[in-house]
Amino acid sequence: MRPEPMPVGPGQESVWDYPRPPRLERVVRRARIRLGGEVIVDTDDVVRVLETSHPPVYYLPIQAFGQGALTPGEGSSHCEFKGGAIYFDVHGGDQVRPRAAWTYPRPSAGFEALAGRVAVYAREMDGCTLDGIDVVPQPGRFYGGWITPDVVGPFKGEPGSLGW
């Protein structure tokens, strides 16, 4: 059952207008991530993936992360659209967040621009910003979208959204 999308205001977009299968696009935004009192990445080289009912997932160049900020993590997963993912443990200051970031080393056709890029679970970091605006993590333990004032839901991951 599809929920009722929230009204869209000026400068906003609804996640219910995003496509399925997802769409990948380069955006002009500055992403900054902090962990353990350190800025571990600050870049304007940003690609986002848009998928129906999900806030955007932002992918940043692996080389933009500070030295030692990413180390191989345990496990892997598979996305029907993007392919096989591997995980990173994220390090900042004296903090380590296991499996808090992921990449698609050999992304599926249509998602090749994700090669060499990393997405990070905002809920695991001290803070993430887009253009200086604080990011709210997508609800739920499984999802990695970043919610900002320019996107409206409701969002997959909220209570009762399992069947969306």
Side-chain angles (χ1 to χ4, degrees):
M1 168 185 233
R2 181 181 161 136
E4 185 67 29
M6 296 170 63
V8 176
Q12 291 183 316
E13 52 191 37
S14 172
V15 298
W16 292 94
D17 292 332
Y18 293 165
R20 185 166 175 89
R23 180 176 75 236
L24 182 145
E25 63 185 25
R26 184 171 297 279
V27 293
V28 180
R29 306 215 55 183
R30 175 159 294 281
R32 187 174 186 200
I33 301 173
R34 295 180 330 279
L35 179 62
E38 294 181 357
V39 174
I40 61 169
V41 64
D42 185 352
T43 184
D44 63 359
D45 185 356
V46 179
V47 169
R48 71 180 186 163
V49 172
L50 308 176
E51 182 175 359
T52 305
S53 78
H54 295 267
V57 176
Y58 291 88
Y59 289 82
L60 314 174
I62 194 168
Q63 68 270 19
F65 285 79
Q67 181 144 359
L70 301 172
T71 58
E74 292 185 10
S76 62
S77 62
H78 189 269
C79 170
E80 65 182 304
F81 303 112
K82 297 179 286 293
I86 60 171
Y87 291 86
F88 292 107
D89 297 342
V90 182
H91 303 258
D94 62 353
Q95 302 292 308
V96 178
R97 299 291 192 276
R99 290 178 47 100
W102 69 96
T103 189
Y104 294 94
R106 290 174 298 286
S108 300
F111 293 91
E112 294 90 351
L114 295 181
R117 293 184 172 276
V118 175
V120 174
Y121 289 112
R123 72 177 161 274
E124 300 293 335
M125 302 297 108
D126 292 347
C128 300
T129 62
L130 282 172
D131 297 332
I133 298 168
D134 290 333
V135 166
V136 174
Q138 181 174 4
R141 296 290 309 157
F142 179 75
Y143 305 107
W146 289 12
I147 301 171
T148 52
D150 56 348
V151 294
V152 296
F155 304 107
K156 181 79 172 179
E158 293 176 356
S161 66
L162 185 61
W164 296 355

